[in-house]
Amino acid sequence: MENLIALLVAAPLLGAAVLLCGGRRLDRAGHWLGTLLAAASFVVAVVLFTDMLGKGAEDRALHQKLFSWIPVEGFQADVAFQLDQLSMTFVLLITGVGTLIHIYSIGYMEHDERRRRFFGYLNLFLAAMLILVIADNYLLLYVGWEGVGLASYLLIGFWQHKPSAATAAKKAFLVNRVGDMGLSIAIMLMFTTFGTFAYGPVLEATGETSEGKLTAIGLMLLLAACGKSAQVPLQSWLGDAMEGPTPVSALIHAATMVTAGVYLIVRSGAIFNAAPDAQMVVVVVGAVTLIFGAIVGCAKDDIKKALAGSTMSQIGYMILAAGLGPIGYVFAIMHLVTHGFFKAGLFLGAGSVMHGMNDEVDMRKYGGLRKYMPVTFVTFGLGYLAIIGFPGLSGFFSKDKIIEAAFAKGGTEGWILGSVALLGAAITAFYMTRVMLMTFFGEERWRRTATPSPDAPDVEPAAETRGEHAEPHPHESPKSMTIPMIVLAFGSVFAGGFFSIGDRFLHWLEPVTGHDHGDAPIGASTVTAATMVALVIGVAIAWAMYGRKPVPVAAPRGSLLTRAARRDLLQDDFNHVVLVRGGEHLTRSLVYVDHTLVDGVVNGTAASMGGLSGRLRKLQNGYARSYAVSMFGGTAVLIAATLLMRAV
Amino acid sequence: MSFPLLTATAALPAIGAVATAAVPAARRTAAKWLGLAFSLGTLVLAGIALARFEPGGDRFQLTESHAWIKDFGVRYELGVDGIGLALMALTALLIPFVILAGWHDADPLETNSSRWRPTQGFFALILMVEAMVILSFEATDVFLFYILFEAMLIPMYFLIGGFGDRAHSGSDENAAAQRSYAAVKFLLYNLVGGLIMLAAVIGLYVVAGSFSLSEIAEARANGSLSMATGTERWLFLGFFFAFAVKAPLWPLHTWLPNAMGEATSPVAVLITAVVDKVGTFAMLRFCLQLFPEASKWATPVILVLALISIVYGALLAVGQRDIKRLIAYASISHFGFIILGIFAMTSQGQSGATLYMVNHGISTAALMLVAGFLITRRGSRLISDYGGVQKVAPVLAGTFLIGGLATLSLPGLAPFVSEFLVLVGAFAAYPAAGIVATTGIVLAAIYVLVLYQRTMTGPVKAEVQGMADLKARELVVVVPLIALLLFLGVYPKPLTEIVNPAVQHTMSDVQKKDPQPEVEAAK
């Protein structure tokens, strides 16, 4: 059975290779090949899963070693896979949602002349993401980690002819590289501490080293997680990443890749468990991002960017849960899976709306679309109910558990974290209701787009506008797009309940992650009730603001906070002024220094030693050849002399 | 006596050089094919050497030894360990691609076609450089090495000064002036380094009474030759200075951007991927082996200079406006990594540094040669003259991106393996140095992706509109290099297998042991 593991990766990797090297002959069938191979990987995953279910909880993990990767003295890095319950969960999510999004893309990218390449990149992404979650050591995980970064770069910048897309792609890669630096240092620390970076030996030996070392490793892993999962302070790339085609946003920037940071922390649980200071920082990062993303989500008029803010915030929940240690690991992953369903569904819904609206992304130019796109409306609506935590739907179960776990942390800390999580739930309900109302309810504001409205200076240009200005004729999307949406809607509705009844998900993951009930100051039902109150407040405020009165087509100026939130709470401005501008000045002055000072000093030293600069000047004036000839002559004489000496 | 394989590997390109130069002026194309044939023949010989080499065997294999200048004990002594062999193979591998890529670089311009057989000369000089570089990787006699180290400057000088890049912004005369400035700067820098080394070579002879690497090393090991601390340090510095100019190490690097910028792209590859490797190779071979104590004494300063090279080179690459100068500064950053790996004096660092030399050769060749194809099409080296190339020439853009990704050490491509080994090796011995060096990871991404974005993405510029995609000849150059980058990134074992034993020998020369992992040390 373990020999099948490599097939998971091999199928999409083959697809990527064939599609990217294949040339135009494959243009007509390429998307089918890509989808087929993604589905093949999913089938393998299901086979492995069924096999795993048949075994006892403690011996479900499978290993497969392919070959020794970098054999160097004292350094062992293998290409080897490990499939346990945690990895299996991700494999199913990645291949399942991945296949659905391949199918969706067949319709969505139908008119793009580079569709074959798009599917090649998607397959490449699947392969890299699978390597990330089934590697049995941190160095191979790093390969997947950067591999998904590359795929993300290629897909965000898929419409490279648009400068904004090219810039967004570059930004995503660069910010992620800062995180990768953290992962590199973490691996180096593991190597000097444990002499290895394979999961087994490292995670079992955490007791044999100091807490300080573990804290350092933990913080470096967190830095990596912040980059990949768009957590504060490395979150700035995710909003821009919405420049990519919408299926990409759904798969990579909502359901799978951005959750890799959560995987990394949960996988490294043993390290964090022994490093409470590092855990503390994880929790703070999660809590801050949870609120940060939610606030940004409230202010965006671009539907994808609003959803991106939401993604950030929801991953904040997961990171928060992961930082709680064994109390939260299982729930972090459970929310990750349910979020994978409903957020992917929401993005596909957004894509479907854009598909029918000439690629308009500004929600102020939507409105009343429920009549024109019933399937999209219903599936998006179910996703909406799931994410705000409507009782009985997926998000209700998974988010509730995280809020409970936050309280269960105990002490003042528990109260603060619990309250932040509750506040987040209220804001989530607010911004998602806002999205829902602005898109599907209210007046049909798109009818007025014929008369150009004076754009507010603060509003960013729409991301995916491809320059069509005619009044849109909203219509439902083709079957290839709606079917994946329907399937994901099913997940959004039922997954949470399915996982929670009888604590199924808990029993499934507990052998890997461990579990602890913590020390809850208030009962579960109290938490649920408080969550419901938060939900109602959020929805009510949104309805008062966007449901009761008409939404203006041009964004109002807004409060100071709104304006800051539109600009991602000014973090981009900070980056631009300090890092981009500062960096430009630094490199420019260095270029000057190199040219005048370093070059000058070295030349000058040489000159003072041998009068070379005078000669150099002469040579520039055209004596080069004569000098070279004399050089050549000199060496020839030297060689001749040595040969002569031999003869003597 | 067995067949002198190592001599043959160096002699074949030398014969090729003479033969190519002798082709009559009118038969230009024949000269190109002849040059290519000789370079391929050399590659075959290098392949045979690889096959005959036994990884677990003697330190130096395929040895040859003949008396040369008896009075001074100078011998014609050859032999390769894994490190020399790997670099020799790299050289033999890259030259056919350099020749193919430069196929038209020395075609006479119609206006002055009366010049002296430039085409024949170009390819003859390339083969001459190949012969000397290969022999320098094989030489185990210090004096023989010195002669080659200096002699290879001559063909390089003519290649830089005589065959400049035709893409330049100023007038022809201005370009000629810049070119000869670059060539002379290259020559003078390296010559000064070489002269100081000559003094050290003579000094070594005075102290040791021999030029033979194996004799000196043996004498040092069994105690029959002991050097005063001061003497050893002076000799070390003399050797190291020459190698640091060639490698090049900050602040002796300023000749490289000029030389790589003004030379044609294949010659730039010859400089950075082949000739400069002699410098880092010689650090491992001569500095560490002959002067282990002095090497350890100088380590702190050298590590700092290496770190400065890494960061400074990368920052300057970010600030460049000329594509080729950008790649040159990136190379300076990469040489910093190589030197860091060598002087970290750990198994991982030194294996990494050796792999780095090979991988950097391949990746820079890929990036620089594609850049050259791009520059030839547009006739400009300025980044700002490009934009939107991926739309009109997707294959060119794609290969350029892969070359760039290799340069920024993306996992899955060969340079990642070596860069990570260097980082780990450095971190194990000097944690702070390892951490500073990781900033190179971020900076490399900046200069590569900014370069790609500005040249390849965005709206198509008018001047780029009619640009043709890669031709068959160019694909033959690029595709094998990329395939090799992928192969060595996924399966570097064939390379580590021959390099590891050599590194262990060097480690025992400097009497260094790898630092123990904390958990094991505690037991």
Side-chain angles (χ1 to χ4, degrees):
Chain A
M1 200 41 78
E2 57 267 14
N3 291 332
L4 285 181
I5 300 176
L7 267 185
L8 286 171
V9 179
L13 200 58
L14 175 75
V18 170
L19 291 174
L20 294 177
C21 305
R24 293 180 198 284
R25 272 161 298 166
L26 286 168
D27 273 356
R28 292 181 56 190
H31 46 286
W32 291 112
L33 180 72
T35 310
L36 201 71
L37 285 165
S41 188
F42 177 64
V43 170
V44 175
V46 170
V47 170
L48 284 163
F49 178 61
T50 1
D51 177 67
M52 194 180 269
L53 284 179
K55 292 185 195 161
E58 294 303 330
D59 48 28
R60 281 178 169 166
L62 293 174
H63 285 271
Q64 181 185 21
K65 185 183 164 181
L66 289 186
F67 55 90
S68 176
W69 180 23
I70 311 177
V72 166
E73 187 74 19
F75 182 92
Q76 203 194 352
D78 292 336
V79 176
F81 301 131
Q82 168 187 321
L83 191 70
D84 59 6
Q85 291 93 319
L86 181 60
S87 304
M88 192 73 236
T89 311
F90 273 87
V91 167
L92 286 172
L93 178 75
I94 294 161
T95 54
V97 176
T99 306
L100 287 176
I101 284 169
H102 274 75
I103 296 169
Y104 180 92
S105 306
I106 294 174
Y108 191 84
M109 300 297 284
E110 196 177 351
H111 303 296
D112 198 297
E113 54 178 2
R114 288 157 74 238
R115 180 161 67 163
R116 169 179 57 87
R117 199 188 290 199
F118 181 80
F119 276 82
Y121 292 159
L122 274 189
N123 272 358
L124 178 68
F125 168 75
L126 281 190
M129 188 73 206
L130 287 166
I131 290 176
L132 198 166
V133 296
I134 62 175
D136 91 329
N137 62 73
Y138 284 95
L139 199 65
L140 190 59
L141 172 140
Y142 191 15
V143 174
W145 192 265
E146 288 242 323
V148 293
L150 171 67
S152 164
Y153 169 79
L154 294 169
L155 285 164
I156 296 171
F158 187 71
W159 289 314
Q160 292 183 2
H161 52 273
K162 287 198 306 179
S164 56
T167 308
K170 181 191 67 185
K171 182 175 176 186
F173 198 97
L174 291 184
V175 175
N176 266 291
R177 270 254 152 165
V178 177
D180 295 348
M181 216 175 109
L183 189 54
S184 297
I185 295 174
I187 298 175
M188 297 192 300
L189 271 166
M190 287 176 200
F191 180 74
T192 55
T193 311
F194 305 106
T196 173
F197 30 76
Y199 295 153
V202 168
L203 299 175
E204 278 156 26
T206 48
E208 291 166 43
T209 185
S210 64
E211 195 187 310
K213 271 275 167 63
L214 294 172
T215 307
I217 295 175
L219 290 176
M220 287 298 118
L221 290 175
L222 174 65
L223 181 63
C226 283
K228 197 63 66 195
S229 293
Q231 299 293 294
V232 175
L234 297 181
Q235 86 297 347
S236 65
W237 63 273
L238 187 63
D240 297 307
M242 297 299 121
E243 287 288 341
T246 307
V248 172
S249 314
L251 178 62
I252 300 183
H253 305 119
T256 56
M257 185 192 82
V258 282
T259 58
V262 184
Y263 171 79
L264 183 66
I265 292 175
V266 174
R267 173 59 78 197
S268 315
I271 293 170
F272 285 95
N273 291 346
D277 292 343
Q279 274 186 323
M280 191 64 213
V281 183
V282 174
V283 167
V284 169
V285 165
V288 168
T289 312
L290 191 172
I291 299 296
F292 185 105
I295 291 176
V296 170
C298 293
K300 295 283 183 184
D301 290 331
D302 176 329
I303 186 169
K304 288 180 72 182
K305 291 198 172 175
L307 289 177
S310 158
T311 303
M312 229 181 259
S313 166
Q314 296 299 314
I315 296 173
Y317 270 109
M318 301 170 208
I319 295 279
L320 168 67
L324 296 172
I327 310 173
Y329 291 139
V330 173
F331 303 128
I333 302 296
M334 187 160 116
H335 192 55
L336 190 156
V337 175
T338 58
H339 175 260
F341 287 124
F342 55 70
K343 187 54 69 62
L346 288 168
F347 265 109
L348 294 191
S352 175
V353 168
M354 287 156 53
H355 196 72
M357 292 289 288
N358 293 351
D359 292 315
E360 178 59 76
V361 290
D362 187 353
M363 293 188 290
R364 293 189 181 276
K365 293 172 186 159
Y366 291 168
L369 292 177
R370 65 182 186 283
K371 283 174 277 182
Y372 302 92
M373 313 178 174
V375 181
T376 305
F377 169 62
V378 171
T379 53
F380 193 94
L382 290 172
Y384 155 74
L385 291 176
I387 193 174
I388 64 170
F390 191 81
L393 273 68
S394 286
F396 167 75
F397 292 102
S398 54
K399 196 189 288 173
D400 202 50
K401 286 286 183 195
I402 291 180
I403 300 173
E404 270 176 46
F407 279 112
K409 173 85 179 164
T412 333
E413 239 178 290
W415 281 104
I416 295 174
L417 294 174
S419 314
V420 168
L422 271 179
L423 177 64
I427 309 180
T428 306
F430 171 79
Y431 69 71
M432 283 311 300
T433 310
R434 175 176 175 269
V435 169
M436 197 68 198
L437 290 173
M438 286 174 83
T439 306
F440 292 103
F441 294 89
E443 291 172 56
E444 297 174 355
R445 294 181 301 278
W446 40 271
R447 291 208 185 277
R448 274 184 275 161
T449 50
T451 51
S453 59
D455 279 342
D458 279 346
V459 177
E460 297 164 44
E464 276 189 42
T465 331
R466 280 184 233 155
E468 292 168 59
H469 297 291
E471 185 176 292
H473 301 284
H475 55 84
E476 191 53 271
S477 299
K479 284 241 160 48
S480 64
M481 289 167 68
T482 50
I483 290 172
M485 286 153 60
I486 294 168
V487 176
L488 287 170
F490 262 93
S492 314
V493 174
F494 299 112
F498 178 77
F499 291 158
S500 296
I501 294 166
D503 286 337
R504 278 203 187 101
F505 202 77
L506 181 61
H507 294 312
W508 161 251
L509 267 191
E510 197 184 351
V512 180
T513 60
H515 186 65
D516 180 358
H517 286 290
D519 174 25
I522 47 176
S525 47
T526 323
V527 172
T528 309
T531 314
M532 284 306 109
V533 172
L535 188 159
V536 171
I537 293 175
V539 173
I541 296 177
W543 188 74
M545 286 174 70
Y546 299 94
R548 264 179 13 159
K549 42 189 181 189
V551 179
V553 175
R557 197 169 140 76
S559 68
L560 206 61
L561 179 66
T562 313
R563 273 178 284 153
R566 279 188 195 136
R567 303 178 70 98
D568 296 327
L569 295 176
L570 304 182
Q571 218 245 345
D572 263 350
D573 303 70
F574 174 83
N575 283 352
H576 190 75
V577 172
V578 177
L579 299 176
V580 179
R581 280 286 158 75
E584 275 169 9
H585 283 299
L586 176 69
T587 52
R588 259 188 227 144
S589 34
L590 274 181
V591 169
Y592 180 76
V593 165
D594 195 57
H595 191 65
T596 53
L597 210 65
V598 180
D599 205 16
V601 167
V602 175
N603 285 348
T605 315
S608 61
M609 276 161 63
L612 283 174
S613 91
R615 272 187 234 171
L616 204 64
R617 220 174 304 125
K618 245 194 240 166
L619 289 164
Q620 279 183 71
N621 295 338
Y623 291 89
R625 189 158 300 175
S626 65
Y627 184 79
V629 169
S630 63
M631 249 304 297
F632 186 76
T635 314
V637 169
L638 183 75
I639 293 173
T642 46
L643 290 175
L644 205 69
M645 280 165 73
R646 191 196 167 194
V648 172
Chain B
M1 205 186 107
S2 62
F3 179 71
L5 185 58
L6 293 186
T7 301
T9 316
L12 192 63
I15 297 167
V18 176
T20 311
V23 174
R27 309 288 302 276
R28 191 169 296 120
T29 315
K32 294 176 184 178
W33 284 105
L34 194 66
L36 182 63
F38 271 99
S39 70
L40 287 172
T42 311
L43 179 57
V44 170
L45 289 180
I48 295 174
L50 269 176
R52 296 246 304 254
F53 187 83
E54 292 164 30
D58 293 342
R59 177 170 193 175
F60 288 104
Q61 298 183 24
L62 308 170
T63 49
E64 297 169 31
S65 180
H66 304 280
W68 183 16
I69 312 171
K70 287 206 180 83
D71 297 329
F72 291 116
V74 176
R75 298 181 66 82
Y76 175 80
E77 217 173 55
L78 304 183
V80 284
D81 63 355
I83 300 170
L85 183 69
L87 291 169
M88 187 188 106
L90 169 76
T91 308
L93 176 85
L94 287 179
I95 299 298
F97 295 117
V98 166
I99 289 178
L100 261 180
W103 206 247
H104 296 301
D105 282 0
D107 286 352
L109 296 167
E110 279 171 43
T111 43
N112 57 350
S113 56
S114 60
R115 278 175 61 191
W116 171 79
R117 295 194 295 179
T119 314
Q120 280 82 338
F122 183 70
F123 294 100
L125 287 169
I126 292 176
L127 288 171
M128 209 58 222
V129 172
E130 177 180 25
M132 290 177 183
V133 170
I134 286 182
L135 203 57
S136 72
F137 288 136
E138 298 170 344
T140 52
D141 183 281
V142 179
F143 192 77
L144 177 62
F145 175 83
Y146 170 73
I147 297 273
L148 294 163
F149 188 80
E150 288 288 70
M152 69 178 76
L153 298 179
I154 300 162
M156 279 316 300
Y157 168 79
F158 287 108
L159 278 172
I160 298 168
F163 302 90
D165 196 332
R166 284 170 187 165
H168 50 76
S169 42
S171 65
D172 280 359
E173 278 159 37
N174 192 7
Q178 278 184 12
R179 194 159 63 231
S180 70
Y181 173 71
V184 171
K185 197 170 171 185
F186 161 82
L187 193 63
L188 288 185
Y189 266 68
N190 283 283
L191 209 60
V192 170
L195 285 176
I196 293 174
M197 182 181 165
L198 178 63
V201 169
I202 294 169
L204 179 69
Y205 181 72
V206 171
V207 176
S210 167
F211 286 117
S212 163
L213 192 65
S214 49
E215 270 176 36
I216 299 173
E218 199 176 307
R220 297 218 59 176
N222 64 26
S224 63
L225 168 63
S226 62
M227 284 185 204
T229 314
T231 317
E232 188 185 337
R233 287 179 184 175
W234 278 112
L235 294 179
F236 167 82
L237 287 177
F239 277 81
F240 184 79
F241 183 80
F243 304 150
V245 169
K246 186 149 280 188
L249 186 65
W250 188 91
L252 305 169
H253 64 276
T254 51
W255 64 268
L256 186 69
N258 287 65
M260 281 177 72
E262 298 305 324
T264 65
S265 298
V267 172
V269 169
L270 207 57
I271 297 170
T272 187
V274 176
V275 172
D276 285 356
K277 295 297 182 311
V278 179
T280 44
F281 162 79
M283 287 180 195
L284 259 176
R285 167 65 53 83
F286 296 102
C287 288
L288 295 198
Q289 210 166 319
L290 292 175
F291 317 108
E293 291 309 316
S295 300
K296 284 188 261 185
W297 162 74
T299 294
V301 176
I302 294 173
L303 287 182
V304 169
L305 292 178
L307 289 175
I308 294 177
S309 285
I310 292 172
V311 176
Y312 184 91
L315 282 173
L316 271 139
V318 175
Q320 296 304 310
R321 285 180 293 186
D322 173 321
I323 299 175
K324 287 165 80 186
R325 288 179 68 93
L326 187 153
I327 300 174
Y329 276 105
S331 283
I332 290 167
S333 179
H334 288 146
F335 281 114
F337 274 106
I338 297 174
I339 294 169
L340 177 70
I342 293 173
F343 281 89
M345 296 196 196
T346 55
S347 302
Q348 301 89 36
Q350 296 199 343
S351 289
T354 309
L355 257 59
Y356 212 122
M357 293 185 221
V358 175
N359 295 338
H360 171 260
I362 303 171
S363 68
T364 307
L367 184 65
M368 192 60 159
L369 293 178
V370 180
F373 300 150
L374 180 73
I375 289 167
T376 313
R377 281 166 166 71
R378 169 74 177 81
S380 168
R381 309 200 305 248
L382 289 182
I383 297 170
S384 55
D385 282 347
Y386 295 86
V389 173
Q390 60 90 22
K391 192 91 176 169
V392 285
V395 178
L396 192 156
T399 50
F400 190 70
L401 181 62
I402 297 175
L405 293 173
T407 304
L408 62 77
S409 297
L410 189 86
L413 296 172
F416 170 75
V417 174
S418 38
E419 189 162 300
F420 197 80
L421 281 173
V422 166
L423 285 173
V424 161
F427 185 83
Y430 308 92
I435 289 174
V436 173
T438 51
T439 55
I441 295 180
V442 179
L443 294 174
I446 298 180
Y447 62 68
V448 168
L449 295 185
V450 169
L451 173 64
Y452 182 81
Q453 186 191 359
R454 295 203 178 140
T455 52
M456 301 296 173
T457 70
V460 183
K461 281 210 173 172
E463 299 88 344
V464 171
Q465 202 75 56
M467 195 178 272
D469 213 333
L470 291 185
K471 291 178 293 209
R473 170 179 62 86
E474 295 165 330
L475 281 173
V476 170
V477 172
V478 176
V479 171
L481 292 175
I482 288 176
L484 210 58
L485 285 172
L486 274 167
F487 176 75
L488 289 177
V490 176
Y491 198 67
K493 197 173 166 194
L495 205 52
T496 55
E497 220 164 38
I498 59 168
V499 167
N500 285 343
V503 165
Q504 289 315 308
H505 282 298
T506 318
M507 288 290 287
S508 69
D509 283 339
V510 292
Q511 292 175 328
K512 275 274 194 177
K513 286 217 169 62
D514 287 329
Q516 283 253 306
E518 188 195 301
V519 170
E520 270 167 48
K523 275 175 191 165

